[in-house]
Amino acid sequence: MLLVDGFEEAPLVAGEELLALPGFWAAYLMWLSRTEEYDPVPAWFGVDGADADAACDALTDEDRWPVFRVPFGGGHTAVVLGCNVPEDPATEYLVTHPEWGRHGSLALVNGHQAGPGLAWRELVHIARTADRAAPGVHAEHERLLLLLPALGDEELPGDAADTVGDALARVGVPGELAPHLAAALLTDHPLWEPAAWAFPGASPLSGGREPFSGILYCDGVMSPRCGVRLAQGITREQSDRLARALGTWPAG
């Protein structure tokens, strides 16, 4: 059993082996690719319905809650946790560190959603800075796609769709479909609007508190990071290390 603070009584299991299921990415991302123009089907992901259904069953197993660990710089880990509560399933996106007393919340995907939880620059930096000494997912394209549902950024770079499309092609999405699927995944998030991200010193979101430098705040009112530090109860030094690990603060 795995342990994540706040989920000590939950039947958590390492979920990384599920990435090898043929229908995993269809089961994991199909909901996110639904737009007014597109009604996705498993074939978009290069699999059939049976494969997608089998992967969905594994992802939503009430007796085995899958945890996907995405270890990055400085001993930090982004965590994707399937909360398979009967009648009220959800997916939690968290960030953890062994020195912290509790995790930081990025996003929540369910009927009581909270997000966005990541800016594009953070998502890409985490994906590219795997800590290969720690257990979890190390392939850049899989890390990017696992954390993609937590994204919400109104200033996506021009190559964002190409980056996501390349990741999709690497997990088996047919080459002719990957660009269209990437565009759908980055357009019209079903649960929240794209948000602006800024350092607290340049934003009124931090209120009257002295902000810790280097950690971005989100202006999306549904975000756990709207006017709130990403990780509560950490020291300034720990916050600086987190900011460097997120790629938003100089390493020097």
Side-chain angles (χ1 to χ4, degrees), residues 88-90 108-114 191:
D88 190 26
L108 173 67
V109 170
N110 76 345
H112 310 284
Q113 64 268 18
L191 300 180

Side-chain angles (χ1 to χ4, degrees), residues 235-251:
T235 66
R236 183 178 295 274
E237 179 184 359
Q238 290 170 333
S239 180
D240 287 349
R241 294 207 303 265
L242 174 59
R244 293 183 187 113
L246 291 169
T248 54
W249 195 241

Side-chain angles (χ1 to χ4, degrees), residues 20-109:
L21 294 176
F24 176 84
W25 294 107
Y28 186 73
L29 289 175
M30 199 155 56
W31 69 274
L32 184 60
S33 60
R34 184 170 289 108
T35 70
E36 291 183 0
E37 292 79 21
Y38 295 102
D39 187 13
V41 294
W44 283 28
F45 294 83
V47 299
D48 60 27
D51 285 335
D53 288 343
C56 186
D57 289 343
L59 280 169
T60 58
D61 188 337
E62 295 175 1
D63 297 319
R64 294 172 59 85
W65 295 12
V67 177
F68 302 91
R69 296 159 293 180
V70 181
F72 60 110
H76 302 88
T77 301
V79 175
V80 182
L81 192 156
C83 302
N84 296 332
V85 178
E87 308 302 326
D88 190 26
T91 304
E92 293 257 13
Y93 293 82
L94 314 168
V95 61
T96 68
H97 192 281
E99 296 178 2
W100 297 356
R102 52 178 168 157
H103 62 253
S105 295
L106 293 172
L108 173 67
V109 170

Side-chain angles (χ1 to χ4, degrees), residues 6-243:
F7 296 89
E8 289 82 3
E9 302 302 319
L12 304 185
V13 296
E16 289 85 13
E17 65 181 19
L18 298 184
L19 272 65
L21 294 176
F24 176 84
W25 294 107
Y28 186 73
L29 289 175
M30 199 155 56
W31 69 274
L32 184 60
S33 60
R34 184 170 289 108
T35 70
E36 291 183 0
E37 292 79 21
Y38 295 102
D39 187 13
V41 294
W44 283 28
F45 294 83
V47 299
D48 60 27
D51 285 335
D53 288 343
C56 186
D57 289 343
L59 280 169
T60 58
D61 188 337
E62 295 175 1
D63 297 319
R64 294 172 59 85
W65 295 12
V67 177
F68 302 91
R69 296 159 293 180
V70 181
F72 60 110
H76 302 88
T77 301
V79 175
V80 182
L81 192 156
C83 302
N84 296 332
V85 178
E87 308 302 326
D88 190 26
T91 304
E92 293 257 13
Y93 293 82
L94 314 168
V95 61
T96 68
H97 192 281
E99 296 178 2
W100 297 356
R102 52 178 168 157
H103 62 253
S105 295
L106 293 172
L108 173 67
V109 170
N110 76 345
H112 310 284
Q113 64 268 18
L118 287 170
W120 175 261
R121 74 187 94 167
E122 296 171 329
L123 170 64
V124 171
H125 188 80
I126 292 172
R128 292 174 177 171
T129 54
D131 179 355
R132 297 186 179 277
V137 181
H138 300 120
E140 179 181 332
H141 60 284
E142 293 177 336
R143 292 159 65 88
L144 181 83
L145 295 177
L146 275 173
L147 296 177
L148 187 63
L151 174 70
D153 195 331
E154 64 183 21
E155 295 186 1
L156 293 177
D159 63 350
D162 290 339
T163 300
V164 174
D166 179 68
L168 290 168
R170 289 175 179 272
V171 298
V173 172
E176 68 276 12
L177 297 178
H180 304 288
L181 183 54
L185 288 167
L186 292 171
T187 304
D188 296 331
H189 196 292
L191 300 180
W192 49 73
E193 297 294 325
W197 296 83
F199 293 118
S203 166
L205 294 175
S206 58
R209 297 171 299 171
E210 180 184 359
F212 285 1
S213 301
I215 301 288
L216 296 174
Y217 280 37
C218 179
D219 76 348
V221 295
M222 295 172 56
S223 173
R225 300 177 63 183
C226 182
V228 179
R229 294 173 185 163
L230 174 52
Q232 298 294 298
I234 65 175
T235 66
R236 183 178 295 274
E237 179 184 359
Q238 290 170 333
S239 180
D240 287 349
R241 294 207 303 265
L242 174 59

